[in-house]
Structure formats: structure tokens, C-alpha cells
Amino acid sequence: MQVDTLIVGGGIAGLSTAWNLGQLGGERVLVLERESAFGTHASAQNASILKELGEDSLTSELERRSARFLRNPPAGFADGPLVEECGLYLIADASSEEAFDDVLSRADGVLHEILTASQVRERLGFYRRPVTRAAFFPRDGRVQVPRLLAAFAEGAREKGVHLQTNAEVSGLLREDGVVRGATLTDGTEIRAKTTVLASGAWAGALAEKVGSRLRFRPTRRHLLVSAPTATVDPGGSILWHIDGRFYVRPERGGWLACAGDQTDVDPDRLELDPAEPRRISSVAAEAVTGFPSGPPQDRWCGLRTFSSDGSFVIGADPDLPGLFWVAGLGGAGIGCGPELGRTAARLLLGRAVDEPWVRDLSPGRFLAATPRS
Ligand SMILES: Cc1cc2nc3c(=O)[nH]c(=O)nc-3n(C[C@H](O)[C@H](O)[C@H](O)COP(=O)(O)OP(=O)(O)OC[C@H]3O[C@@H](n4cnc5c(N)ncnc54)[C@H](O)[C@@H]3O)c2cc1C
């Protein structure tokens, strides 16, 4: 089989790229996902938070652009709203004020309110730790991820993109130094002008086998949902500590909580560490008045995969013609995914991409410093 663009991976990276390719007139596009459904790994394991002001200016730019899409998608794109704008409180303590001021220095054009000390007491009274800075972002919120992924997949299909589940790529085809497609575990060979690696935690390993010098770090993070409690307002806002080590938001009548763990893992051996939900519960009980002390109603872990500088990797591989990356989405792939897919599609189709920050996404940024072996 011969296609123009073969996309390996059907999480948000692959589906957003596929949908955008379809919209821009890309032809003969095929998405392969090895699971029986799309979006079952990182794209299903996250906290679904859209936070317009990211940790750095690139992430903030991508989140803002994605937020515009998510709030106002094209007519008929999805069968309901894609974001629940519950609002987000960004908070800092004495040790993180500098980081807070840095993030807020990029807040021009983002609707927000700086809270006074008395507003902090009044509105965040349930949070027991010291807060020296706080801002409220009323338009941040929770992304309806399954709806978004279904809309990307359906919209791509309508534009002629082929999407296949239960199709696992076992290796990339490399001939004369050029990547010319992939082989599936059932032996099928698919030849492609461009092969896009959007396979999340597994992208790095597939490419390493054909000589890529790019390296990725799959890491594990845990989340839990506490037992339901009357102290949670189901329509309440997200509370996010700027140091990234704690956030909570309402979920299923309880609190969804994260205590910011990050451990390197082999993605094929992802297992929940039972000590981690206990740690999250104890951190949350200390921080949040009335946080239920009993067993959580749910707990899980998921994969956040980072490039070697921690940022996204979108673009053609400079060593391996025919290979293109949409990888390293880390901990912001849901909030940034729509714009990352749009950027990837424009680059794949050779469209003019004038935004200067696109250079910061390029895989070429790593290779100057990495000797060939
Ligand atoms: C606990 C946690 C909380 C998070 N919270 C947030 C948040 O609040 N906001 C936010 O923006 N982001 C968040 N993230 C990050 C976000 O979930 C990820 O950045 C994003 O989902 C990555 O998407 P992906 O498509 O790159 O990877 P994935 O969703 O993992 O998709 C990769 C796909 O490739 C497939 N695949 C792999 N190998 C092959 C192969 N050989 N052949 C065929 N298919 C293959 C896999 O089966 C998988 O479906 C969080 C992540 C975690 C783990």
C-alpha cells in the first residue's frame, strides 16, 4: 500500500494532525493506531485542564491559539461544547512569587483578575497553605477530551483520511538513508512519502531503531479522585499552584488531585505505585479543608513524555528524510494539541509558516549538539 502521509499513533497528536491535514486538502493520509480505539493512552489519562498561561512563552502561545479553537470550533465540528469554562485560580507562596510574576508578565490579552489578600481569604478559604499571590482566569477550564478526539477522528474521515485501529507498527522502513514508510506486526508494508511519528511515549524507540538521534523521556504521573464530599462545589474552579506540585479540581462529586510526581518509566511497564495515591491524599488533606480521608473513588497513572529540552518536537527530522515528528507533548498536550496539529499539518503540506516560534519546535534544534555515532 502507498500513501502520501502515514501517521503512527491515534492520540491527540496524531488525530489533530490528521484532522488539520484533511482540512487543508492533504491527500492519501492514513492514521494507524495499535489499540482497538483511539486516545486510550496519555490522551485518556490526563487531568483535561486548559490553562491559557503556560510555564513558558511558547506553551502560552500554543495554549492561547488552541483555546481559541476549542472555544469556537468550526460549525458542526463536535456534538457539544469542547471546554467547560469553570475558571482557574493560579496561586503562589513566598518561595514561588518570582515564577508567578514571570507567568503573569505574559498575561496581556488573557482575561484575568489579580486577587487581593482579602479576596484570597474569601474565595480560597478552603486552601490551608499560605498564598502570597493569586490570580483568577475565568475562561480556563476543563476540556471535554473524548468529545474532542471523536470530533477530530470523524472530521478527518469526512475529508477522506483513513483511520485504522488494531494496526501496530513494528518498525520503520529505511532505505538509502530515507524513511519510506512502516511495517506492521502482521507483516503488512505501508510505503509513504512522509511518516509522522505521533506515537507518544513510544515515538523515540521506533525512530532510534532506524538511527534517529532524538531522545525522549517517558515519565509517569498519578492522579486520584477523592470520595464524593459536600465540601466540593461541582461547578467550582481549578486551583493550581504555580510550582506545579499541586492542583485540584472538582470531579464526580469529589476532588481530582495531583501532587506533581514524575518518575522515568518504560512505557510498556506502566504500573500504578500504590504509595503515590496515599501521598496525594495526604498532601491534599493537609492543603484542602474537608478533603475526604477515606479511600479514593478512582486513581490512576499516565504517561507524560518529554524531549531532551522538555519542549514539543514538531517538524521534519534533519537526519532522516521522510520522517516527521509530532512528539514530546509532555504535560500540556491537551491544551496545546489543536495548535500543534495545525502547525504540523501546515509544515507537512509545505505551507508558509511565518510564526517565529515554529523554529523553537523544530527537531533540528537538538542535533547541532549531538554527535553522530
Ligand atoms: C496524569 C497526567 C495529567 C495530564 N494533565 C494534562 C492537562 O491537564 N492538560 C494538558 O494539556 N495535558 C495534560 N497531560 C498531558 C497530555 O495528556 C499529553 O501531552 C497528550 O495526551 C499526549 O498525546 P499523544 O498523542 O502525544 O500521546 P498518546 O495519547 O499516548 O498517543 C500515542 C498513541 O500512539 C499509539 N502507538 C504507540 N506506538 C504505536 C505503534 N507502534 N503503532 C501504532 N500505534 C502506536 C498509542 O497506542 C497511543 O494511542 C497530562 C498527562 C498525564 C499523564
PDB file of all heavy atoms in Angstrom, residues 244-273:
ATOM      1  N   GLY A 244       3.697  23.765  40.301  1.00  0.00           N
ATOM      2  CA  GLY A 244       3.374  22.537  39.565  1.00  0.00           C
ATOM      3  C   GLY A 244       3.303  21.306  40.444  1.00  0.00           C
ATOM      4  O   GLY A 244       3.082  20.204  39.955  1.00  0.00           O
ATOM      5  N   ARG A 245       3.444  21.493  41.772  1.00  0.00           N
ATOM      6  CA  ARG A 245       3.441  20.300  42.630  1.00  0.00           C
ATOM      7  C   ARG A 245       2.082  19.989  43.237  1.00  0.00           C
ATOM      8  O   ARG A 245       1.929  19.015  43.954  1.00  0.00           O
ATOM      9  CB  ARG A 245       4.501  20.463  43.728  1.00  0.00           C
ATOM     10  CG  ARG A 245       5.922  20.331  43.163  1.00  0.00           C
ATOM     11  CD  ARG A 245       6.897  19.957  44.251  1.00  0.00           C
ATOM     12  NE  ARG A 245       6.981  20.995  45.261  1.00  0.00           N
ATOM     13  CZ  ARG A 245       7.900  21.953  45.256  1.00  0.00           C
ATOM     14  NH1 ARG A 245       8.794  21.993  44.309  1.00  0.00           N
ATOM     15  NH2 ARG A 245       7.921  22.851  46.205  1.00  0.00           N
ATOM     16  N   PHE A 246       1.082  20.829  42.927  1.00  0.00           N
ATOM     17  CA  PHE A 246      -0.240  20.537  43.480  1.00  0.00           C
ATOM     18  C   PHE A 246      -1.328  21.213  42.664  1.00  0.00           C
ATOM     19  O   PHE A 246      -1.233  22.402  42.355  1.00  0.00           O
ATOM     20  CB  PHE A 246      -0.326  21.031  44.935  1.00  0.00           C
ATOM     21  CG  PHE A 246      -1.625  20.649  45.593  1.00  0.00           C
ATOM     22  CD1 PHE A 246      -1.916  19.323  45.862  1.00  0.00           C
ATOM     23  CD2 PHE A 246      -2.570  21.617  45.907  1.00  0.00           C
ATOM     24  CE1 PHE A 246      -3.126  18.958  46.436  1.00  0.00           C
ATOM     25  CE2 PHE A 246      -3.789  21.261  46.486  1.00  0.00           C
ATOM     26  CZ  PHE A 246      -4.054  19.926  46.753  1.00  0.00           C
ATOM     27  N   TYR A 247      -2.357  20.424  42.304  1.00  0.00           N
ATOM     28  CA  TYR A 247      -3.583  21.044  41.801  1.00  0.00           C
ATOM     29  C   TYR A 247      -4.774  20.176  42.158  1.00  0.00           C
ATOM     30  O   TYR A 247      -4.634  18.964  42.375  1.00  0.00           O
ATOM     31  CB  TYR A 247      -3.527  21.352  40.299  1.00  0.00           C
ATOM     32  CG  TYR A 247      -3.330  20.202  39.340  1.00  0.00           C
ATOM     33  CD1 TYR A 247      -4.389  19.365  38.966  1.00  0.00           C
ATOM     34  CD2 TYR A 247      -2.090  19.969  38.753  1.00  0.00           C
ATOM     35  CE1 TYR A 247      -4.202  18.331  38.048  1.00  0.00           C
ATOM     36  CE2 TYR A 247      -1.896  18.941  37.838  1.00  0.00           C
ATOM     37  CZ  TYR A 247      -2.950  18.125  37.491  1.00  0.00           C
ATOM     38  OH  TYR A 247      -2.756  17.097  36.590  1.00  0.00           O
ATOM     39  N   VAL A 248      -5.925  20.822  42.276  1.00  0.00           N
ATOM     40  CA  VAL A 248      -7.187  20.106  42.498  1.00  0.00           C
ATOM     41  C   VAL A 248      -8.259  20.750  41.626  1.00  0.00           C
ATOM     42  O   VAL A 248      -8.182  21.942  41.317  1.00  0.00           O
ATOM     43  CB  VAL A 248      -7.680  20.158  43.980  1.00  0.00           C
ATOM     44  CG1 VAL A 248      -6.937  19.203  44.862  1.00  0.00           C
ATOM     45  CG2 VAL A 248      -7.672  21.576  44.539  1.00  0.00           C
ATOM     46  N   ARG A 249      -9.243  19.930  41.260  1.00  0.00           N
ATOM     47  CA  ARG A 249     -10.436  20.471  40.612  1.00  0.00           C
ATOM     48  C   ARG A 249     -11.601  19.526  40.922  1.00  0.00           C
ATOM     49  O   ARG A 249     -11.382  18.338  41.238  1.00  0.00           O
ATOM     50  CB  ARG A 249     -10.245  20.658  39.108  1.00  0.00           C
ATOM     51  CG  ARG A 249     -10.094  19.384  38.308  1.00  0.00           C
ATOM     52  CD  ARG A 249     -10.361  19.656  36.825  1.00  0.00           C
ATOM     53  NE  ARG A 249     -10.095  18.507  35.987  1.00  0.00           N
ATOM     54  CZ  ARG A 249     -10.897  17.445  35.858  1.00  0.00           C
ATOM     55  NH1 ARG A 249     -12.005  17.366  36.562  1.00  0.00           N
ATOM     56  NH2 ARG A 249     -10.569  16.458  35.054  1.00  0.00           N
ATOM     57  N   PRO A 250     -12.834  20.032  40.852  1.00  0.00           N
ATOM     58  CA  PRO A 250     -13.980  19.155  41.119  1.00  0.00           C
ATOM     59  C   PRO A 250     -14.066  18.045  40.075  1.00  0.00           C
ATOM     60  O   PRO A 250     -13.761  18.269  38.896  1.00  0.00           O
ATOM     61  CB  PRO A 250     -15.188  20.088  40.988  1.00  0.00           C
ATOM     62  CG  PRO A 250     -14.638  21.473  41.108  1.00  0.00           C
ATOM     63  CD  PRO A 250     -13.242  21.415  40.563  1.00  0.00           C
ATOM     64  N   GLU A 251     -14.457  16.854  40.516  1.00  0.00           N
ATOM     65  CA  GLU A 251     -14.638  15.720  39.591  1.00  0.00           C
ATOM     66  C   GLU A 251     -15.548  14.687  40.267  1.00  0.00           C
ATOM     67  O   GLU A 251     -15.274  14.255  41.394  1.00  0.00           O
ATOM     68  CB  GLU A 251     -13.271  15.096  39.268  1.00  0.00           C
ATOM     69  CG  GLU A 251     -13.293  13.803  38.471  1.00  0.00           C
ATOM     70  CD  GLU A 251     -13.607  13.980  36.976  1.00  0.00           C
ATOM     71  OE1 GLU A 251     -13.337  15.070  36.428  1.00  0.00           O
ATOM     72  OE2 GLU A 251     -14.140  13.024  36.375  1.00  0.00           O
ATOM     73  N   ARG A 252     -16.611  14.316  39.591  1.00  0.00           N
ATOM     74  CA  ARG A 252     -17.535  13.276  40.058  1.00  0.00           C
ATOM     75  C   ARG A 252     -17.940  13.459  41.524  1.00  0.00           C
ATOM     76  O   ARG A 252     -17.955  12.507  42.313  1.00  0.00           O
ATOM     77  CB  ARG A 252     -16.913  11.889  39.869  1.00  0.00           C
ATOM     78  CG  ARG A 252     -16.834  11.472  38.398  1.00  0.00           C
ATOM     79  CD  ARG A 252     -16.137  10.142  38.248  1.00  0.00           C
ATOM     80  NE  ARG A 252     -14.820  10.313  37.694  1.00  0.00           N
ATOM     81  CZ  ARG A 252     -13.886   9.373  37.668  1.00  0.00           C
ATOM     82  NH1 ARG A 252     -14.131   8.185  38.204  1.00  0.00           N
ATOM     83  NH2 ARG A 252     -12.708   9.604  37.129  1.00  0.00           N
ATOM     84  N   GLY A 253     -18.200  14.669  41.938  1.00  0.00           N
ATOM     85  CA  GLY A 253     -18.650  14.935  43.313  1.00  0.00           C
ATOM     86  C   GLY A 253     -17.524  14.976  44.328  1.00  0.00           C
ATOM     87  O   GLY A 253     -17.740  15.261  45.504  1.00  0.00           O
ATOM     88  N   GLY A 254     -16.305  14.670  43.909  1.00  0.00           N
ATOM     89  CA  GLY A 254     -15.151  14.736  44.812  1.00  0.00           C
ATOM     90  C   GLY A 254     -14.110  15.680  44.238  1.00  0.00           C
ATOM     91  O   GLY A 254     -14.410  16.542  43.402  1.00  0.00           O
ATOM     92  N   TRP A 255     -12.872  15.531  44.692  1.00  0.00           N
ATOM     93  CA  TRP A 255     -11.762  16.322  44.161  1.00  0.00           C
ATOM     94  C   TRP A 255     -10.876  15.450  43.288  1.00  0.00           C
ATOM     95  O   TRP A 255     -10.478  14.366  43.723  1.00  0.00           O
ATOM     96  CB  TRP A 255     -10.859  16.821  45.282  1.00  0.00           C
ATOM     97  CG  TRP A 255     -11.399  17.894  46.177  1.00  0.00           C
ATOM     98  CD1 TRP A 255     -11.770  17.752  47.479  1.00  0.00           C
ATOM     99  CD2 TRP A 255     -11.575  19.280  45.856  1.00  0.00           C
ATOM    100  NE1 TRP A 255     -12.175  18.959  47.992  1.00  0.00           N
ATOM    101  CE2 TRP A 255     -12.064  19.916  47.001  1.00  0.00           C
ATOM    102  CE3 TRP A 255     -11.368  20.029  44.694  1.00  0.00           C
ATOM    103  CZ2 TRP A 255     -12.348  21.273  47.041  1.00  0.00           C
ATOM    104  CZ3 TRP A 255     -11.662  21.386  44.735  1.00  0.00           C
ATOM    105  CH2 TRP A 255     -12.145  21.994  45.895  1.00  0.00           C
ATOM    106  N   LEU A 256     -10.526  15.926  42.100  1.00  0.00           N
ATOM    107  CA  LEU A 256      -9.421  15.312  41.361  1.00  0.00           C
ATOM    108  C   LEU A 256      -8.164  16.015  41.867  1.00  0.00           C
ATOM    109  O   LEU A 256      -8.125  17.249  41.913  1.00  0.00           O
ATOM    110  CB  LEU A 256      -9.591  15.513  39.860  1.00  0.00           C
ATOM    111  CG  LEU A 256      -8.443  14.935  38.994  1.00  0.00           C
ATOM    112  CD1 LEU A 256      -9.018  14.413  37.668  1.00  0.00           C
ATOM    113  CD2 LEU A 256      -7.377  15.971  38.680  1.00  0.00           C
ATOM    114  N   ALA A 257      -7.174  15.239  42.293  1.00  0.00           N
ATOM    115  CA  ALA A 257      -5.973  15.846  42.881  1.00  0.00           C
ATOM    116  C   ALA A 257      -4.711  15.257  42.275  1.00  0.00           C
ATOM    117  O   ALA A 257      -4.661  14.076  41.897  1.00  0.00           O
ATOM    118  CB  ALA A 257      -5.970  15.618  44.392  1.00  0.00           C
ATOM    119  N   CYS A 258      -3.693  16.115  42.209  1.00  0.00           N
ATOM    120  CA  CYS A 258      -2.386  15.699  41.707  1.00  0.00           C
ATOM    121  C   CYS A 258      -1.322  16.338  42.584  1.00  0.00           C
ATOM    122  O   CYS A 258      -1.445  17.510  42.952  1.00  0.00           O
ATOM    123  CB  CYS A 258      -2.227  16.167  40.261  1.00  0.00           C
ATOM    124  SG  CYS A 258      -0.613  15.763  39.565  1.00  0.00           S
ATOM    125  N   ALA A 259      -0.303  15.558  42.941  1.00  0.00           N
ATOM    126  CA  ALA A 259       0.781  16.108  43.768  1.00  0.00           C
ATOM    127  C   ALA A 259       2.086  16.161  42.979  1.00  0.00           C
ATOM    128  O   ALA A 259       3.169  16.164  43.564  1.00  0.00           O
ATOM    129  CB  ALA A 259       0.924  15.301  45.052  1.00  0.00           C
ATOM    130  N   GLY A 260       1.989  16.175  41.654  1.00  0.00           N
ATOM    131  CA  GLY A 260       3.138  16.523  40.814  1.00  0.00           C
ATOM    132  C   GLY A 260       4.260  15.505  40.741  1.00  0.00           C
ATOM    133  O   GLY A 260       5.399  15.883  40.481  1.00  0.00           O
ATOM    134  N   ASP A 261       3.976  14.202  40.944  1.00  0.00           N
ATOM    135  CA  ASP A 261       5.070  13.213  40.848  1.00  0.00           C
ATOM    136  C   ASP A 261       5.536  13.078  39.395  1.00  0.00           C
ATOM    137  O   ASP A 261       4.772  13.318  38.453  1.00  0.00           O
ATOM    138  CB  ASP A 261       4.613  11.843  41.381  1.00  0.00           C
ATOM    139  CG  ASP A 261       3.479  11.257  40.561  1.00  0.00           C
ATOM    140  OD1 ASP A 261       2.460  11.944  40.368  1.00  0.00           O
ATOM    141  OD2 ASP A 261       3.616  10.113  40.074  1.00  0.00           O
ATOM    142  N   GLN A 262       6.770  12.678  39.241  1.00  0.00           N
ATOM    143  CA  GLN A 262       7.326  12.472  37.892  1.00  0.00           C
ATOM    144  C   GLN A 262       8.478  11.474  37.985  1.00  0.00           C
ATOM    145  O   GLN A 262       9.514  11.786  38.548  1.00  0.00           O
ATOM    146  CB  GLN A 262       7.815  13.800  37.335  1.00  0.00           C
ATOM    147  CG  GLN A 262       8.387  13.654  35.940  1.00  0.00           C
ATOM    148  CD  GLN A 262       8.532  15.000  35.256  1.00  0.00           C
ATOM    149  OE1 GLN A 262       7.563  15.713  35.069  1.00  0.00           O
ATOM    150  NE2 GLN A 262       9.752  15.346  34.885  1.00  0.00           N
ATOM    151  N   THR A 263       8.252  10.257  37.445  1.00  0.00           N
ATOM    152  CA  THR A 263       9.268   9.205  37.515  1.00  0.00           C
ATOM    153  C   THR A 263       9.497   8.667  36.114  1.00  0.00           C
ATOM    154  O   THR A 263       8.525   8.391  35.399  1.00  0.00           O
ATOM    155  CB  THR A 263       8.745   8.030  38.392  1.00  0.00           C
ATOM    156  OG1 THR A 263       8.268   8.572  39.622  1.00  0.00           O
ATOM    157  CG2 THR A 263       9.810   6.994  38.664  1.00  0.00           C
ATOM    158  N   ASP A 264      10.742   8.494  35.724  1.00  0.00           N
ATOM    159  CA  ASP A 264      11.020   7.895  34.411  1.00  0.00           C
ATOM    160  C   ASP A 264      10.492   6.460  34.385  1.00  0.00           C
ATOM    161  O   ASP A 264      10.663   5.730  35.368  1.00  0.00           O
ATOM    162  CB  ASP A 264      12.535   7.863  34.152  1.00  0.00           C
ATOM    163  CG  ASP A 264      13.086   9.266  33.910  1.00  0.00           C
ATOM    164  OD1 ASP A 264      12.318  10.234  34.059  1.00  0.00           O
ATOM    165  OD2 ASP A 264      14.274   9.394  33.589  1.00  0.00           O
ATOM    166  N   VAL A 265       9.842   6.075  33.278  1.00  0.00           N
ATOM    167  CA  VAL A 265       9.302   4.708  33.184  1.00  0.00           C
ATOM    168  C   VAL A 265       9.523   4.127  31.783  1.00  0.00           C
ATOM    169  O   VAL A 265       9.654   4.870  30.802  1.00  0.00           O
ATOM    170  CB  VAL A 265       7.772   4.632  33.445  1.00  0.00           C
ATOM    171  CG1 VAL A 265       7.444   4.740  34.906  1.00  0.00           C
ATOM    172  CG2 VAL A 265       6.993   5.620  32.609  1.00  0.00           C
ATOM    173  N   ASP A 266       9.486   2.798  31.742  1.00  0.00           N
ATOM    174  CA  ASP A 266       9.378   2.083  30.476  1.00  0.00           C
ATOM    175  C   ASP A 266       7.875   2.066  30.157  1.00  0.00           C
ATOM    176  O   ASP A 266       7.091   1.513  30.937  1.00  0.00           O
ATOM    177  CB  ASP A 266       9.921   0.656  30.671  1.00  0.00           C
ATOM    178  CG  ASP A 266       9.678  -0.218  29.463  1.00  0.00           C
ATOM    179  OD1 ASP A 266       8.892   0.170  28.573  1.00  0.00           O
ATOM    180  OD2 ASP A 266      10.248  -1.331  29.439  1.00  0.00           O
ATOM    181  N   PRO A 267       7.445   2.684  29.035  1.00  0.00           N
ATOM    182  CA  PRO A 267       6.002   2.788  28.788  1.00  0.00           C
ATOM    183  C   PRO A 267       5.301   1.437  28.661  1.00  0.00           C
ATOM    184  O   PRO A 267       4.088   1.350  28.863  1.00  0.00           O
ATOM    185  CB  PRO A 267       5.917   3.574  27.480  1.00  0.00           C
ATOM    186  CG  PRO A 267       7.273   3.518  26.867  1.00  0.00           C
ATOM    187  CD  PRO A 267       8.248   3.322  27.980  1.00  0.00           C
ATOM    188  N   ASP A 268       6.064   0.378  28.341  1.00  0.00           N
ATOM    189  CA  ASP A 268       5.444  -0.957  28.254  1.00  0.00           C
ATOM    190  C   ASP A 268       5.249  -1.577  29.635  1.00  0.00           C
ATOM    191  O   ASP A 268       4.662  -2.645  29.758  1.00  0.00           O
ATOM    192  CB  ASP A 268       6.304  -1.886  27.387  1.00  0.00           C
ATOM    193  CG  ASP A 268       6.262  -1.462  25.931  1.00  0.00           C
ATOM    194  OD1 ASP A 268       5.180  -1.038  25.468  1.00  0.00           O
ATOM    195  OD2 ASP A 268       7.317  -1.518  25.262  1.00  0.00           O
ATOM    196  N   ARG A 269       5.788  -0.920  30.663  1.00  0.00           N
ATOM    197  CA  ARG A 269       5.639  -1.465  32.025  1.00  0.00           C
ATOM    198  C   ARG A 269       5.043  -0.402  32.944  1.00  0.00           C
ATOM    199  O   ARG A 269       5.496  -0.245  34.077  1.00  0.00           O
ATOM    200  CB  ARG A 269       6.999  -1.899  32.574  1.00  0.00           C
ATOM    201  CG  ARG A 269       7.574  -3.072  31.827  1.00  0.00           C
ATOM    202  CD  ARG A 269       8.703  -3.749  32.598  1.00  0.00           C
ATOM    203  NE  ARG A 269       9.136  -4.929  31.885  1.00  0.00           N
ATOM    204  CZ  ARG A 269       9.945  -4.904  30.830  1.00  0.00           C
ATOM    205  NH1 ARG A 269      10.418  -3.763  30.397  1.00  0.00           N
ATOM    206  NH2 ARG A 269      10.293  -6.026  30.215  1.00  0.00           N
ATOM    207  N   LEU A 270       4.063   0.315  32.434  1.00  0.00           N
ATOM    208  CA  LEU A 270       3.447   1.374  33.248  1.00  0.00           C
ATOM    209  C   LEU A 270       2.560   0.727  34.314  1.00  0.00           C
ATOM    210  O   LEU A 270       1.605   0.034  33.985  1.00  0.00           O
ATOM    211  CB  LEU A 270       2.601   2.286  32.354  1.00  0.00           C
ATOM    212  CG  LEU A 270       1.863   3.411  33.081  1.00  0.00           C
ATOM    213  CD1 LEU A 270       2.851   4.447  33.619  1.00  0.00           C
ATOM    214  CD2 LEU A 270       0.851   4.084  32.160  1.00  0.00           C
ATOM    215  N   GLU A 271       2.893   0.964  35.575  1.00  0.00           N
ATOM    216  CA  GLU A 271       2.089   0.397  36.670  1.00  0.00           C
ATOM    217  C   GLU A 271       1.879   1.444  37.733  1.00  0.00           C
ATOM    218  O   GLU A 271       2.778   2.234  38.022  1.00  0.00           O
ATOM    219  CB  GLU A 271       2.841  -0.772  37.326  1.00  0.00           C
ATOM    220  CG  GLU A 271       2.594  -2.076  36.645  1.00  0.00           C
ATOM    221  CD  GLU A 271       3.370  -3.217  37.295  1.00  0.00           C
ATOM    222  OE1 GLU A 271       3.802  -3.057  38.455  1.00  0.00           O
ATOM    223  OE2 GLU A 271       3.537  -4.223  36.611  1.00  0.00           O
ATOM    224  N   LEU A 272       0.713   1.397  38.346  1.00  0.00           N
ATOM    225  CA  LEU A 272       0.421   2.327  39.433  1.00  0.00           C
ATOM    226  C   LEU A 272       1.274   1.974  40.651  1.00  0.00           C
ATOM    227  O   LEU A 272       1.427   0.796  40.982  1.00  0.00           O
ATOM    228  CB  LEU A 272      -1.064   2.202  39.762  1.00  0.00           C
ATOM    229  CG  LEU A 272      -1.616   3.183  40.760  1.00  0.00           C
ATOM    230  CD1 LEU A 272      -2.848   3.863  40.191  1.00  0.00           C
ATOM    231  CD2 LEU A 272      -1.962   2.490  42.054  1.00  0.00           C
ATOM    232  N   ASP A 273       1.855   2.986  41.268  1.00  0.00           N
ATOM    233  CA  ASP A 273       2.585   2.775  42.516  1.00  0.00           C
ATOM    234  C   ASP A 273       1.605   3.071  43.653  1.00  0.00           C
ATOM    235  O   ASP A 273       1.203   4.222  43.841  1.00  0.00           O
ATOM    236  CB  ASP A 273       3.776   3.743  42.562  1.00  0.00           C
ATOM    237  CG  ASP A 273       4.490   3.704  43.900  1.00  0.00           C
ATOM    238  OD1 ASP A 273       4.022   2.984  44.804  1.00  0.00           O
ATOM    239  OD2 ASP A 273       5.505   4.410  44.038  1.00  0.00           O
TER     240      ASP A 273
END
